[in-house]
Amino acid sequence: MANLEMAESLLRVGVPIGFAAYGELLLERAGIVNLGIEGKFLLGACLGWLLTSVTGHPLVGLISVIIMGALLGGIFWFLIDVMECSQHVVGLGMGFSATGIALTLYRMVPAEIKDSSLPYTGWEIASLIVLAVLLFAGFILLAIFFTRTGKGLSWVLVGEDARAADILGVPVRLIRIGASVTGTILFFIAGWILSVLVARNFTLGLVSGRGWLALCLVILAGWRPLGVTLAVVLWSILDVSQFAAQGAGMPIPYELILTVPYCVCIFAVTGFLPRHRAPTMLLKTYNRNEDAA
Amino acid sequence: MRLAATLDLLELRKAGRTPWRTRLVTLATVIVTVIAIVLILATTSRDARAFVTSISSNFAAVGFWVPECTVIFVPLALASLGVGLARRAGFWNIGGEAQILLGALGGFLLARLLPDLRAPFSQTLAIVAAFIFGACACGLFSLLKTHRGADEVLTTLLSNFLVLHFIAYLVGGPLRDPESKWIQSSTLFEAYRFARISGFGRMNTSIVVLIIGSVCFLLLERRTSWSTLLKLNGDNPNAVSALRIDPNRVILGASLVSGGLCGMAGWIELAGNQYRLVQDLSPGYGFYAILVAVIGGGTVLRTLLTAVVFALLLHTIDGVVRDAGVPVYMKEAILGLGLLVYVVNERLRTHSFVVRPH
């Protein structure tokens, strides 16, 4: 029985972060860093929860967060690729805006909706299992896509050297807008999973750093799909086992465990790890009309 | 392929940086931003009348809002000067929040170590400790950038959460006040606090630190070659190398001062305003400082002026949050929108966006 509960907690921790990490991985391999994951995660969670509890249909929440994600992904792409603004600033700016809008929205919701959490219907855990399987399959397919297919190689090439890709006739902008939109949609879906399937409610501290964590996991896994899978699984195990350890009276402060992925991530980007190399185009803008420097 | 071809039609073209264009774009941006902020705040408040009354009553008594604004202004201005200095040298310091918390921790630990120190020494030493703690937190990442190629935006950004969790651990564990039911440290000794100036509300003597700091900064900007070196390094590190000066050392120096100033800001917030270490000591000063610094454009006077405007803005928002029921999270949305408006404005001042004709 304990094992079943453990497995359930693993799903509850791992699936939302896994989806967010998947989105960030897609983006980063196309040379784009989105520092607004946390805010989009939160906005997705808030919108998903709100529309689900108002209409009573989780799918309405899901569809609306997908539309919202596509919209914000498009804006993000427009600002960084057409307007050529700094990815850092746009990402942080959109992240802060999304956080502010989500929490403001939550404050303006009438109290009777706020107080009633969604009832457990029993299908949540089933959907989580399905989503986890999808996620695993997705990561494996992504690994095959990036290394064994022509389109995947083009995608990776856009992240490594956009000019070379452009000369080869790869539609650079199409891939980058595809990455922005799908990535952002995945952040929003991650939020929907967290509020509608896992917590069955929305609270102010619901996301509490999961977005940043997803970013860390992608980086410390060295931008490799299977590495990210492993990182997500390891983090879920660490997170769940620390709860179990605290229940058993072992005093490891949770705050210190939370610092571990950040430490490892900072260590990872310093280049001390073997075979750990970021996509070259990361954070750079590509303008086909300008000569190469 | 049709979509790919359409996407390629959108482009940004360099337009002449004519004065009227620059001014018009900036003016339009400012007007749109102000209208947007007022609209957002007004629509989220309970009713429009409460909103207007809150703003007018907030600014009716000069003796009230000036001291209140300085409480926000002093730490914000210090952090912004710090972030701006590093930005000038080509180093994005996004870790202001971490350095603020660590600076506060540094001063607080000193106070714990030397509880019997008398007033002027205690405050001076605590500021030095805060500076050192903040400087180390930022200098480390500049070394990682220059020697290991680690992107400083990412590392300093992540350091915020690292430190936040670490401080949460400290105030919840080793430094926790055993008598308090809240998760916070014990209160700071009297000798270490910045005294309140009587008759001026919550305004305290930490403003002296800011004045001294600003004067030093102005002298640094106007009278030393270091500031030229910083700007040169930000624009073109090769030029610094050509002068037989190691650009890495310029960045290290700038980041040490930058982190140190943020650390001082944190200590001032602790010793001048809150008197105890808590996890949410900084109401986002480290992030606001980025916006203030980029709008301030790296010069001391413009940065200070921008910080004044932001202090007024934050104070106004605090007022309408308290009186008119505007959600406090509006601050975060405004910060984010401000960053976006800023970058788009920067682009449009020199470029125009066109759809290329066939």
Side-chain angles (χ1 to χ4, degrees):
Chain A
M1 204 57 211
N3 284 340
L4 259 179
E5 270 172 27
M6 197 83 158
E8 194 181 327
S9 332
L10 278 179
L11 286 178
R12 288 159 164 274
V13 174
V15 175
I17 291 187
F19 268 80
Y22 196 99
E24 183 68 11
L25 180 63
L26 276 178
L27 273 159
E28 298 221 358
R29 287 308 284 265
I32 301 169
V33 173
N34 190 337
L35 292 183
I37 314 177
E38 180 82 5
K40 286 163 189 172
F41 212 129
L42 197 66
L43 189 56
C46 185
L47 274 180
W49 162 80
L50 189 59
L51 286 160
T52 305
S53 48
V54 169
T55 61
H57 294 286
L59 284 182
V60 177
L62 180 62
I63 291 164
S64 56
V65 297
I66 289 176
I67 294 170
M68 194 68 189
L71 194 70
L72 285 189
I75 296 175
F76 180 71
W77 170 81
F78 180 79
L79 287 176
I80 60 161
D81 243 21
V82 180
M83 299 299 286
E84 296 176 18
C85 298
S86 151
Q87 293 179 16
H88 286 140
V89 183
V90 174
L92 282 175
M94 287 186 78
F96 285 133
S97 313
T99 308
I101 290 167
L103 296 181
T104 305
L105 194 69
Y106 176 68
R107 266 287 302 271
M108 292 164 74
V109 169
E112 59 265 26
I113 300 179
K114 256 187 238 178
D115 294 338
S116 61
S117 57
L118 304 167
Y120 277 95
T121 51
W123 54 263
E124 294 85 13
I125 196 71
S127 350
L128 273 180
I129 294 171
V130 172
L131 286 172
V133 172
L134 276 179
L135 194 62
F136 267 112
F139 272 121
I140 293 168
L141 284 179
L142 198 63
I144 297 170
F145 176 68
F146 279 156
T147 50
R148 297 277 181 273
T149 66
K151 290 234 160 48
L153 285 176
S154 307
W155 189 294
V156 175
L157 187 60
V158 169
E160 295 292 342
D161 189 342
R163 187 165 297 277
D166 203 4
I167 291 167
L168 285 173
V170 173
V172 175
R173 280 194 159 172
L174 191 65
I175 287 181
R176 281 169 72 104
I177 195 176
S180 296
V181 170
T182 38
T184 314
I185 288 177
L186 283 167
F187 302 152
F188 273 81
I189 293 180
W192 174 82
I193 295 172
L194 187 64
S195 66
V196 174
L197 295 185
V198 174
R200 304 297 286 157
N201 205 342
F202 183 81
T203 49
L204 294 177
L206 184 63
V207 175
S208 62
R210 284 185 173 82
W212 301 117
L213 210 63
L215 175 71
C216 280
L217 293 180
V218 170
I219 292 168
L220 65 85
W223 295 272
R224 284 187 295 266
L226 297 181
V228 176
T229 323
L230 189 66
V232 170
V233 171
L234 283 180
W235 169 252
S236 312
I237 291 172
L238 185 67
D239 199 25
V240 170
S241 56
Q242 76 83 24
F243 268 113
Q246 270 181 355
M250 204 162 70
I252 313 170
Y254 185 48
E255 290 85 359
L256 283 187
I257 289 183
L258 277 175
T259 62
V260 171
Y262 296 107
C263 290
V264 177
C265 181
I266 289 173
F267 179 75
V269 289
T270 52
F272 288 108
L273 296 183
R275 292 186 58 225
H276 190 277
R277 197 179 63 80
T280 322
M281 280 298 285
L282 224 50
L283 294 171
K284 291 182 187 145
T285 41
Y286 169 62
N287 184 336
R288 65 175 354 186
N289 299 318
E290 270 169 21
D291 296 330
Chain B
M1 282 303 108
R2 181 67 62 76
L3 179 60
T6 320
L7 289 176
D8 282 338
L9 289 182
L10 307 172
E11 67 175 39
L12 202 64
R13 207 169 274 175
K14 207 160 206 149
R17 198 186 170 121
T18 51
W20 68 266
R21 185 191 167 81
T22 312
R23 278 188 207 131
L24 204 68
V25 170
T26 311
L27 189 70
T29 313
V30 169
I31 292 173
V32 168
T33 316
V34 169
I35 293 175
I37 289 176
V38 172
L39 274 182
I40 293 170
L41 290 176
T43 49
T44 50
S45 74
R46 272 197 308 269
D47 60 312
R49 187 173 298 160
F51 182 72
V52 176
T53 339
S54 159
I55 292 186
S56 55
S57 66
N58 225 342
F59 287 97
V62 180
F64 172 68
W65 66 264
V66 171
E68 284 295 312
C69 283
T70 60
V71 174
I72 304 173
F73 171 64
V74 175
L76 183 62
L78 277 174
S80 310
L81 284 174
V83 174
L85 180 94
R87 173 86 201 93
R88 206 173 154 90
F91 184 88
W92 274 106
N93 181 5
I94 313 286
E97 288 284 296
Q99 292 139 25
I100 284 173
L101 282 173
L102 281 178
L105 176 69
F108 191 79
L109 287 181
L110 184 88
R112 274 288 188 86
L113 272 177
L114 305 168
D116 303 325
L117 220 56
R118 291 291 182 81
F121 304 108
S122 58
Q123 284 151 357
T124 324
L125 268 183
I127 282 195
V128 172
F131 188 93
I132 293 172
F133 267 63
C136 291
C138 193
L140 170 70
F141 297 114
S142 95
L143 287 178
L144 288 182
K145 174 191 166 84
T146 53
H147 288 75
R148 305 296 315 183
D151 175 46
E152 83 274 18
V153 173
L154 192 71
T155 49
T156 51
L157 179 69
L158 294 182
S159 77
N160 288 332
F161 311 110
L162 182 61
V163 172
L164 193 68
H165 292 312
F166 181 61
I167 296 284
Y169 157 69
L170 284 182
V171 296
L175 291 182
R176 181 166 182 173
D177 181 6
E179 274 143 41
S180 169
K181 60 179 177 172
W182 309 107
I183 299 176
Q184 58 187 23
S185 73
S186 48
T187 30
L188 187 66
F189 308 114
E190 203 71 51
Y192 279 88
R193 295 183 191 178
F194 291 104
R196 288 196 177 157
I197 303 170
S198 63
F200 286 94
R202 291 199 298 154
M203 188 169 163
N204 55 59
T205 47
S206 66
I207 196 152
V208 178
V209 179
L210 177 69
I211 293 170
I212 297 173
S214 309
V215 171
C216 293
F217 248 76
L218 264 180
L219 288 176
L220 194 79
E221 186 183 77
R222 302 272 159 93
R223 293 271 178 273
T224 65
S225 62
W226 194 54
S227 116
T228 320
L229 212 56
L230 290 183
K231 179 142 179 36
L232 210 54
N233 195 51
D235 292 343
N236 182 3
N238 292 340
V240 178
S241 308
L243 293 170
R244 313 270 162 97
I245 295 168
D246 186 3
N248 293 348
R249 291 185 63 172
V250 178
I251 288 189
L252 179 62
S255 66
L256 283 175
V257 176
S258 173
L261 284 170
C262 289
M264 277 163 66
W267 173 245
I268 284 173
E269 178 65 20
L270 193 153
N273 189 16
Q274 306 203 9
Y275 304 139
R276 47 171 74 83
L277 194 61
V278 283
Q279 188 191 6
D280 44 4
L281 178 78
S282 158
Y285 288 146
F287 291 122
Y288 291 112
I290 303 167
L291 190 53
V292 174
V294 289
I295 293 176
T299 66
V300 176
L301 288 179
R302 259 185 77 177
T303 307
L304 288 176
L305 204 67
T306 318
V308 170
V309 174
F310 266 78
L312 279 172
L313 181 68
L314 289 178
H315 171 67
T316 315
I317 297 178
D318 281 341
V320 292
V321 165
R322 197 178 48 236
D323 306 330
V326 172
V328 64
Y329 317 104
M330 257 0 281
K331 276 192 196 174
E332 212 151 355
I334 287 172
L335 168 68
L337 291 175
L339 279 172
L340 291 178
V341 166
Y342 170 77
V343 281
V344 172
N345 174 39
E346 272 308 282
R347 247 333 126 191
L348 287 181
R349 277 166 64 178
T350 47
H351 291 71
S352 53
F353 167 69
V354 292
V355 180
R356 195 176 354 153
H358 288 282

